[in-house]
Amino acid sequence: QVQLVESGGGFVQAGGSLRLSCAASGRTVSDWRLGWFRQVPGKEREFVAAISWSGGSTWYSDSVKGRFAVSRDNFKSMLYLDMNSLKPEDTAVYYCSAGYNPSIYETRGYAYWGQGTQVTVSS
């Protein structure tokens, strides 16, 4: 089992920045690929970013590439998402996830999920 707890969400104006954090515990978290997804009411959960177990590889959705940065600290068992130049369309609940499945960009690629943290960007 892997437990994931997100924090850092909040309310920010367009153009602002936020840093999301995810504390991981349980099975050797450093062995897992970690990812961020987001979801708005009535829509499917969508991929945002992911990072390999070593941190050597990262992946981003086209909508956040160049604005968001994913990182991890395996010594602290932490995952981060630095979000810059935020837009109203970034408003969503953001979820931290952990997985092995090769489907990096899909929810089926992740076995464990946090409870989510709300990010609201005003125009």
Side-chain angles (χ1 to χ4, degrees):
Q1 290 287 334
V2 175
Q3 292 77 42
L4 303 167
V5 179
E6 304 93 337
S7 61
F11 188 92
V12 63
Q13 290 190 331
S17 300
L18 276 177
R19 174 178 244 206
L20 303 184
S21 299
C22 175
S25 61
R27 293 174 63 182
T28 309
V29 175
S30 58
D31 291 345
W32 297 74
R33 182 183 71 247
L34 300 178
W36 290 99
F37 284 72
R38 64 188 183 187
Q39 189 171 24
V40 297
K43 292 191 175 182
E44 292 187 354
R45 195 168 296 188
E46 68 169 359
F47 172 80
V48 175
I51 187 166
S52 63
W53 69 271
S54 67
S57 297
T58 56
W59 302 269
Y60 296 94
S61 68
D62 289 342
S63 61
V64 307
K65 196 173 297 182
R67 299 189 298 122
F68 290 11
V70 61
S71 60
R72 67 190 292 169
D73 184 334
N74 285 339
F75 291 105
K76 296 181 179 179
S77 296
M78 293 293 294
L79 173 70
Y80 304 101
L81 183 68
D82 289 297
M83 306 186 294
N84 299 303
S85 302
L86 283 162
K87 304 175 181 180
E89 50 263 44
D90 294 318
T91 295
V93 176
Y94 284 71
Y95 296 90
C96 172
S97 57
Y100 271 122
N101 186 291
S103 300
I104 295 171
Y105 301 98
E106 301 175 63
T107 56
R108 64 177 178 172
Y110 301 82
Y112 298 101
W113 297 86
Q115 83 290 348
T117 185
Q118 176 71 47
V119 171
T120 303
V121 184
S122 67
S123 57

